[in-house]
Amino acid sequence: MPKKKTSPKSPPKERALALRVNGRVLEVEVPPHRTLLEALRDAGFVDVKRGCEKGDCGACAVLIDGVAVDACLTLAWTVEGRDIVTAAGLGTHENMHPLQKTFVEKGAIQCGYCTPGLIVAAQSLISTTPDPSEEDIRVGLSGNLCRCTGYAKVFEAVREAAAQMRNQRGRR
Amino acid sequence: MSTSFDPTAARANVAFRQVGKPLARTDAPGKAIGRTPYAGDYVMPGMLHAKVLRSPMPSARLVKLDVRKARALPGVVAVLTARELPDRLAPTDIPGQTGQARLKTDQQILVRERVRYHGEPLALIAAESADIAEHAMKLIEYKLEPLPAVFDPEEAMRPGAPVVQGTDNVVARHAINKGDVAAGFAAADVVVERTYRTQFIEHAFLEPEVGLAWIDENDVVNIRVSTQVIEHFRFIADAIGVPHNKVRIMGALVGGGFGGKEDITVEVYLALLAKHTHRPVRLEFTREDSFMGHGKRHPFVLRYKTGVKRDGKITALEVGLISDAGAYVFLSPYVLLYGTIAAPGPYLIENLKVDAASVSTNNMYTSAFRGFGAAQACVAYEQQMDEIAQAIGMDRLEFRRRNYLKTGEPTATGFPPPSAIWTERCADLAWQALGEKTKAKGAVRIGRGLAAYQQSYGRLTFLHDTSEGWVGVEVDGTVVVRSGVTDIGAGQVSALAQIAVEILGVTLDNVVVYNSDSAVTPLAGTTTATRALYMTGNAVRVAAEAVRNRLAARAAKAFGVAAEDVVLADNKVTAASRSDKSMGFAELIRLCASEGIQRSELAIFRAPFTDRLDPVTGQGQAYPDFTYGAHAIEVAVDTETGEVSVLKSVACHDVGQCINPAAVEGQIEGGAAQGQGYALSEEMIYREGRLTTPSFSEYLIPTAMDVPVVKSIILESRSGLGPFGAKGIGEPALTPVAPAIANAVADAIGKRIFDLPITPEKIVRALNGI
């Protein structure tokens, strides 16, 4: 007796994309439903953290043309040609971004899982609001959940980094 | 190996160079630049992706489970059900205990016949991709027939209730009977009787459970996993039927734990799938899996009856505790014991009776959560203290002052803590620091509340806890620490680094800590129970001291001075009495190496070992020691909308000795936020056993918009049992926060909400008498 065949729906077609991530071009082949979070993590950008995949927690925030966006709510196909920057793209051990430095110095990092997203969100905030008030910082980080720190040292770190970045710009 | 460390020998008041400084944590830079690999960031060639199929019903009989279609799907490599598993159960008791036999609470790994909670795993899938595994889940055909269920622990205690565990659902009972409660009530002028309730809550660590397993060349199951407890390797081995030395657990820096990664999560599933497929397997929980896949904080019903004299002296206390253990036992008996011992709080109560029961239901199972039963007790005893003060018309702080336990006095179990008890100082300082009261405006009312607490650090002493640590110096003068301890974000590893370099006299940039690998790092025990600094910190301290003594002896010979005269500090070796004598630390190490002088040490630290408490009276030693402190809160309550804003938050804790003050503040600030969620917004809601809050859209933890800036007042009595006189602060930071907020809200609106969380809806109802 021929067995009734249970074939899955034919998988959606993959498409080759060129994503610009942290200043280099990344060739990926992904189906239309692949999120930017999945595409980036599969390509090794594991500093983009998976926390909820619903846009609730902000752990996967990346900069797209300088604006913080939840990568889990962004389809990879929609950001081709845009400038994507992850937390690891902002600095290195030898050459840390001011936010990375102040997060370390102010004790704003505990488990660190939310840290890349927070740094990305803070960078997005400072780029449009170079001298953020406490309220600005709270609103700017309101899409990023942190369970360890209670946010107080995060606020300090962002305030301090913004000041350093203003000074740097002033000197230039 | 060195002998056990004598805590009385802890030298306080040394001139610290590393300890006590707010240094940047050693783990912070890697995390800031996104280079720290978490357990979920590891992949292997040929790796499979796993999924867990869960029951949508809380109480049912599994009458059909057909996985043939799922197995036939191209790309599916394995589908496991209870039929394919070895005839074994998974242990759920406390790991790593040596003082007693395991409780008989092992449970089914996958549903065999009966489903006991919503989300209980039915089947495991491993496939070539996560998409295929997801698709395969939908092809599994199963049929569940509903069974009678019970969702309320008090109903579950009644005769005739559906039985979920044991013969009568009661999974544990504990009691304290001390003094003469009847005489105490007879002597009272006023008796205050109230019932408080707490809710299910979720740890909500940002990193969901995740792991990667593979079988190595020795047929050892290796698992890289996000866990607080690498020493689950023993239980995992028992569950899959291999010897203990055939399972290796490697941790990674953990993306938050709070007790939620204290039990086994993904490990047994991964081990079974890796064994079955002979391929590496990765399993990562979605957020919904995470909310369904690990135990919650126990809801408690806490009945308090207190007798008190008009002068404020408590004459008797009778407490009844019932906790909801949910569908499986896990750590419920221990959580209940913590609640039982904590029931009177940081007060001297001579006539005390506590009767406590933990009861199974068809709700989600409950287990460890920062505060571990003692936090629930604090929610009740500190609200009760305010209720009594009001009943006798006495100032809340003054009433507490007349009852605080003082240094050298016995706790509920008759055991006097060995360290200083500074509750009064802490409470007064926190309260004063609230400063001038914010002015009420329109419909908004202002209220203040305080809560003091007593929270153990270190495990229950009848578990006979030990911790090992290794310290060594490389030939170039750099320091290595090896410790099995897991770092769950509180800076456990960084603290060990500070302790080692303080003793060896080198700077923090000269040390690396290798941690959390059950095969190669000395077993340090769990990162739970506020024990890591106390236990593992001491083990590393003892090891570092042994190394230091050998180095100092060699330097003394070179300098022609006594060993006590040698000073190791700032990467240099000098003699206190001879300013002409000095050498670099690395130079001394080269000298020692060339002569074969041992430059490393493995040390074990043992907590006090005791028997169990007396089962009738509850008397005896339960813990090594306690931390004491208080939290003060000011809130604004909008009486029209019921919205509560926390305006001021001041914590004052005696931490014994800060190892890193910035890290201590971090614990306090994080505890304040978590306590705020516990008090005001967080609740895992199970309707007829079904979870209705499966995401952060429904389960509301505090955001950057919600929290006040916390003021931390840190006192150092240097009287603790930890290194340099430290106590623990991990759990204590959280414990008093929720009751302090509850007291502040009651103060603001003149009405008490007796069940957490204190939502706007409850406040509006209370104010309108509905």
Side-chain angles (χ1 to χ4, degrees), chain B residues 217-237:
Chain B
E217 66 278 15
N218 296 316
D219 203 30
V220 172
V221 181
N222 288 251
I223 309 176
R224 170 81 69 176
V225 64
S226 172
T227 181
Q228 297 176 233
V229 181
I230 62 169
E231 286 173 54
H232 280 312
F233 71 85
R234 303 185 188 97
F235 285 178
I236 297 160

Side-chain angles (χ1 to χ4, degrees), chain B residues 477-496:
Chain B
T478 56
V479 175
V480 173
V481 177
R482 295 196 173 98
S483 165
V485 75
T486 54
D487 190 318
I488 60 173
Q492 282 87 1
V493 159
S494 194
L496 297 185

Side-chain angles (χ1 to χ4, degrees), chain B residues 417-481:
Chain B
S419 68
I421 301 177
W422 284 4
T423 317
E424 183 170 341
R425 266 176 85 177
C426 291
D428 289 353
L429 285 171
W431 190 253
Q432 286 157 19
L434 287 177
E436 204 174 316
K437 197 167 179 176
T438 306
K439 290 216 164 37
K441 216 166 123 188
V444 174
R445 296 195 200 145
I446 305 297
R448 287 182 165 187
L450 176 120
Y453 72 91
Q454 165 185 285
Q455 177 87 46
S456 58
Y457 62 92
R459 274 177 154 191
L460 289 160
T461 44
F462 63 74
L463 295 172
H464 296 188
D465 195 15
T466 62
S467 185
E468 291 183 15
W470 186 97
V471 174
V473 189
E474 293 302 327
V475 182
D476 65 354
T478 56
V479 175
V480 173
V481 177

Side-chain angles (χ1 to χ4, degrees), chain B residues 136-184:
Chain B
M137 274 216 292
K138 296 182 184 126
L139 298 179
I140 295 178
E141 293 170 4
Y142 60 89
K143 195 171 163 211
L144 294 166
E145 277 176 8
L147 287 173
V150 61
F151 305 109
D152 179 286
E154 293 186 85
E155 276 175 34
M157 289 175 90
R158 291 188 197 124
V163 175
V164 186
Q165 290 294 337
T167 53
D168 61 358
N169 289 324
V170 176
V171 301
R173 283 188 190 276
H174 297 296
I176 291 176
N177 286 289
K178 188 181 181 182
D180 185 341
V181 175

Side-chain angles (χ1 to χ4, degrees), chain B residues 617-641:
Chain B
T617 65
Q619 298 300 287
Q621 179 175 0
Y623 307 104
D625 194 23
F626 299 89
T627 304
Y628 295 88
H631 206 108
I633 290 284
E634 183 180 278
V635 296
V637 183
D638 185 322
T639 54
E640 286 172 354
T641 64

Side-chain angles (χ1 to χ4, degrees), chain B residues 407-679:
Chain B
T407 305
E409 290 179 340
T411 59
T413 69
F415 168 73
S419 68
I421 301 177
W422 284 4
T423 317
E424 183 170 341
R425 266 176 85 177
C426 291
D428 289 353
L429 285 171
W431 190 253
Q432 286 157 19
L434 287 177
E436 204 174 316
K437 197 167 179 176
T438 306
K439 290 216 164 37
K441 216 166 123 188
V444 174
R445 296 195 200 145
I446 305 297
R448 287 182 165 187
L450 176 120
Y453 72 91
Q454 165 185 285
Q455 177 87 46
S456 58
Y457 62 92
R459 274 177 154 191
L460 289 160
T461 44
F462 63 74
L463 295 172
H464 296 188
D465 195 15
T466 62
S467 185
E468 291 183 15
W470 186 97
V471 174
V473 189
E474 293 302 327
V475 182
D476 65 354
T478 56
V479 175
V480 173
V481 177
R482 295 196 173 98
S483 165
V485 75
T486 54
D487 190 318
I488 60 173
Q492 282 87 1
V493 159
S494 194
L496 297 185
Q498 271 184 286
I499 291 164
V501 300
E502 178 70 51
I503 292 164
L504 292 173
V506 300
T507 46
L508 200 55
D509 52 353
N510 276 311
V511 61
V512 170
V513 180
Y514 295 94
N515 75 305
S516 73
D517 183 333
S518 72
V520 301
T521 54
L523 296 178
T526 62
T527 299
T528 67
T530 309
R531 72 176 280 290
L533 176 64
Y534 160 51
M535 295 294 297
T536 310
N538 271 330
V540 166
R541 181 178 194 274
V542 174
E545 283 176 345
V547 174
R548 184 193 188 284
N549 288 343
R550 285 191 214 109
L551 302 182
R554 183 63 190 86
K557 204 168 125 194
F559 293 165
V561 300
E564 305 78 66
D565 211 22
V566 173
V567 178
L568 280 79
D570 305 324
N571 304 326
K572 283 201 293 288
V573 187
T574 53
S577 60
R578 297 278 303 270
S579 58
D580 58 325
K581 297 291 182 191
S582 93
M583 68 171 105
F585 182 77
E587 196 184 332
L588 172 60
I589 296 304
R590 277 195 298 277
L591 187 59
C592 290
S594 72
E595 295 175 6
I597 293 169
Q598 191 183 342
R599 308 181 313 282
S600 66
E601 181 78 2
L602 175 65
I604 186 166
F605 178 78
R606 299 180 187 87
F609 285 15
T610 66
D611 294 331
R612 280 179 170 272
L613 302 177
D614 182 283
V616 177
T617 65
Q619 298 300 287
Q621 179 175 0
Y623 307 104
D625 194 23
F626 299 89
T627 304
Y628 295 88
H631 206 108
I633 290 284
E634 183 180 278
V635 296
V637 183
D638 185 322
T639 54
E640 286 172 354
T641 64
E643 190 192 356
V644 178
S645 308
V646 179
L647 304 179
K648 294 179 186 171
S649 181
V650 185
C652 184
H653 302 274
D654 167 24
V655 302
Q657 165 69 49
C658 281
I659 303 301
N660 185 337
V664 171
E665 281 176 16
Q667 286 301 295
I668 292 170
E669 290 161 7
Q674 210 168 47
Q676 181 175 334
Y678 192 22

